[in-house]
């Protein structure tokens, strides 16, 4: 299959980590998933080294913050007692509510990055870098050496193929929490992080537009995907992006039946879909292929493409793309 452009999401990293799992000792496999890692953390089951990295990444060398660290741990424990593991969904569901999880929402950008740092350091310790590079080389090979490569992922696993990170990227090292903050406004009352967060695609697009008002945003973000109309593609692949319904629609479904299926304004990452439609309308993209995992996800994609009015597309099982660490 030959594509002019590829954009991939979390499903790409999940596939990679699943393939690496057999090469990771069983007692360390909790590192392969952010939710498993946090569950081990709140139970005191991560190593002392991992705990130290976690703490110092948030508070630096300050020795008097352990009380706050433990309070954060308690909040995370309460979260996992109440909600499932999908933090992005929960952020959307809690967006317009007073929430006892506001500390998690505030700290999660840093926590997510810290998990990646700990995981990537351990994979490096296991000498798995060549496996990771080989995996992404297979992505290039299977998709026909595309000219354009984008990702919504923050992680840096794919850096050997130099993707543009359209939502920002993780830092390879964090000295304090403030490192993940891009800009503070209103005397520190509001933050823009070095990653684009939002409850749905419209919220993320608004965040992108606000960030672009700062003159140095190009040092952090790769936004050309959304605004470069000199792009020209016959076929484009979207791999590992589920375009789930945004969490905040839960409370709307009873009053507004249209939200029982994917609807414009209520899809995570729908700003990417809007751009795809815009590319087709401009004539700079002909066809887009979406990958799906199972029949349920396929039906969801049919709803999504109808809601956003994507013109020419195909749905392909993600299993048909043989990306491999071998």
């Amino acid at each position: 299959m030959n594509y002019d452009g590829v954009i991939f999401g979390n499903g790409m990293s999940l596939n990679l980590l699943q393939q690496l799992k057999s090469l990771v000792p069983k007692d360390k496999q909790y590192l392969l998933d952010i939710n498993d890692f946090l569950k081990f953390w709140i139970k005191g089951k991560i190593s002392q080294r991992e705990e130290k990295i976690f703490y110092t990444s948030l508070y630096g060398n300050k020795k008097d913050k352990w009380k706050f660290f433990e309070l954060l741990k308690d909040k995370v424990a309460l979260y996992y007692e109440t909600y499932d593991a999908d933090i992005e969904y929960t952020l959307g569901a809690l967006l317009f509510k007073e929430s006892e999880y506001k500390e998690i929402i505030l700290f999660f950008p840093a926590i997510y990055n810290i998990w990646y740092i700990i995981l990537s350091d351990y994979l490096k310790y296991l000498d798995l870098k060549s496996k990771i590079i080989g995996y992404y080389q297979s992505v290039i090979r299977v998709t026909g050496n595309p000219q354009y490569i984008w990702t919504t992922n923050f992680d840096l696993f794919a850096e050997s193929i130099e993707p543009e990170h359209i939502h920002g990227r993780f830092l390879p090292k964090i000295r304090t929490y403030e490192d993940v903050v891009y800009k503070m406004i209103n005397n520190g009352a509001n933050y823009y992080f070095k990653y684009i967060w939002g409850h749905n695609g419209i919220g993320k697009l608004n965040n992108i537009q606000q960030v672009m008002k700062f003159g140095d945003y190009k040092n952090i973000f790769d936004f050309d995907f959304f605004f470069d109309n000199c792009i020209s593609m016959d076929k484009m692949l979207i791999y590992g992006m589920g375009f789930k319904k945004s969490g905040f629609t839960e409370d709307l479904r009873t009053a507004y039946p249209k939200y029982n299926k994917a609807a414009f304004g209520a899809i995570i990452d729908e700003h990417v879909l809007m751009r795809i439609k815009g590319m087709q309308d401009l004539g700079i993209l002909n066809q887009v292929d979406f990958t799906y995992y199972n029949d349920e996800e396929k039906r969801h994609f049919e709803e999504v493409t109808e809601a956003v009015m994507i013109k020419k597309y195909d749905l392909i099982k993600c299993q048909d793309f043989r990306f491999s660490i071998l």
Side-chain angles (χ1 to χ4, degrees):
M1 300 180 186
N2 293 322
Y3 293 95
D4 302 296
V6 173
I7 181 168
F8 58 87
N10 195 44
M12 184 71 81
S13 296
L14 291 177
N15 187 4
L16 167 67
L17 295 176
Q18 181 61 35
Q19 292 189 40
L20 292 175
K21 187 174 182 179
S22 64
L23 303 176
V24 176
K26 285 188 176 181
D27 65 345
K28 285 293 186 178
Q29 289 180 0
Y30 64 85
L31 292 175
L32 298 173
D33 181 86
I34 175 65
N35 299 289
D36 290 342
F37 171 73
L38 290 177
K39 289 174 183 178
F40 270 63
W41 172 57
I42 61 182
K43 294 177 182 178
K45 292 184 177 181
I46 67 173
S47 71
Q48 289 184 345
R49 180 179 180 276
E50 291 158 3
E51 183 101 4
K52 182 179 179 181
I53 293 172
F54 203 151
Y55 179 88
T56 56
S57 295
L58 289 176
Y59 303 110
N61 294 321
K62 297 177 181 177
K63 305 296 184 182
D64 59 347
K65 299 295 184 180
W66 281 100
K67 177 181 178 181
F68 298 101
F69 190 60
E70 292 299 324
L71 287 173
L72 178 61
K73 185 183 292 186
D74 291 342
K75 287 292 185 181
V76 173
L78 183 61
Y79 166 79
Y80 281 111
E81 289 176 6
T82 310
Y83 291 98
D84 64 18
D86 192 337
I87 191 69
E88 187 169 15
Y89 188 86
T90 304
L91 288 176
L94 300 177
L95 184 68
F96 304 115
K97 301 178 182 179
E98 287 295 324
S99 171
E100 57 188 322
Y101 304 106
K102 61 182 180 181
E103 291 91 351
I104 300 176
I105 295 172
L106 183 63
F107 276 91
F108 192 76
I111 292 172
Y112 203 2
N113 198 151
I114 293 165
W115 162 74
Y116 166 76
I117 291 170
I118 292 172
L119 170 60
S120 60
D121 282 353
Y122 188 69
L123 296 178
K124 189 183 300 182
Y125 167 75
L126 294 179
D127 197 23
L128 295 177
K129 182 178 180 180
S130 63
K131 297 288 188 182
I132 296 171
I133 291 175
Y135 174 82
Y136 286 101
Q137 288 303 316
S138 79
V139 171
I140 296 299
R141 186 170 58 254
V142 170
T143 57
N145 194 25
Q147 179 180 355
Y148 306 101
I149 306 172
W150 302 283
T151 181
T152 58
N153 294 344
F154 306 132
D155 69 62
L156 307 177
F157 292 127
E159 293 310 281
S160 62
I161 61 173
E162 300 182 342
E164 293 191 6
H165 290 260
I166 68 173
H167 287 161
R169 70 197 75 202
F170 283 146
L171 302 175
K173 184 177 178 60
I174 300 176
R175 295 163 299 177
T176 66
Y177 172 80
E178 286 76 14
D179 283 354
V180 305
V181 177
Y182 171 51
K183 299 289 183 182
M184 290 186 181
I185 58 175
N186 299 329
N187 296 319
N190 301 102
Y191 299 166
Y192 289 108
F193 292 103
K194 292 178 180 176
Y195 337 110
I196 298 299
W197 297 89
H199 60 286
N200 66 355
I202 301 301
K204 291 180 182 179
L205 182 58
N206 179 66
N207 200 341
I208 288 169
Q209 291 170 335
Q210 294 301 314
V211 163
M212 289 179 67
K213 294 179 180 179
F214 299 104
D216 61 347
Y217 78 89
K218 289 186 177 180
N219 296 334
I220 305 292
F221 301 99
D222 304 318
F223 291 149
D224 284 353
F225 169 80
F226 296 105
F227 304 107
D228 182 1
N229 291 331
C230 293
I231 294 169
S232 179
M233 294 180 288
D234 179 44
K235 289 185 68 177
M236 177 182 179
L237 174 67
I238 299 183
Y239 181 94
M241 296 183 65
F243 299 104
K244 295 176 62 175
K245 298 174 187 175
S246 180
F248 80 93
T249 61
E250 287 286 349
D251 293 339
L252 299 176
R253 290 177 187 172
T254 301
Y256 304 99
K258 76 171 184 176
Y259 289 108
N260 285 313
K261 65 177 185 178
F264 184 75
I267 303 168
I268 294 175
D269 287 333
E270 69 187 357
H271 59 310
V272 173
L273 297 171
M274 292 164 57
R275 175 56 172 161
I276 297 300
K277 173 175 167 48
M279 286 178 172
Q280 289 186 331
D281 289 346
L282 289 169
I284 60 177
L285 170 64
N286 181 25
Q287 177 172 320
V288 59
D289 290 351
F290 297 90
T291 62
Y292 66 91
Y293 181 70
N294 54 29
D295 288 343
E296 180 181 359
E297 190 168 66
K298 183 180 181 181
R299 288 191 294 271
H300 175 68
F301 270 108
E302 290 168 348
E303 293 180 3
V304 163
T305 50
E306 179 184 355
V308 185
M309 296 183 289
I310 301 292
K311 295 177 182 176
K312 191 174 181 181
Y313 69 92
D314 199 4
L315 303 178
I316 305 174
K317 286 186 177 180
C318 61
Q319 296 88 338
D320 290 347
F321 292 87
R322 306 286 182 166
F323 306 145
S324 175
I325 63 173
L326 301 177

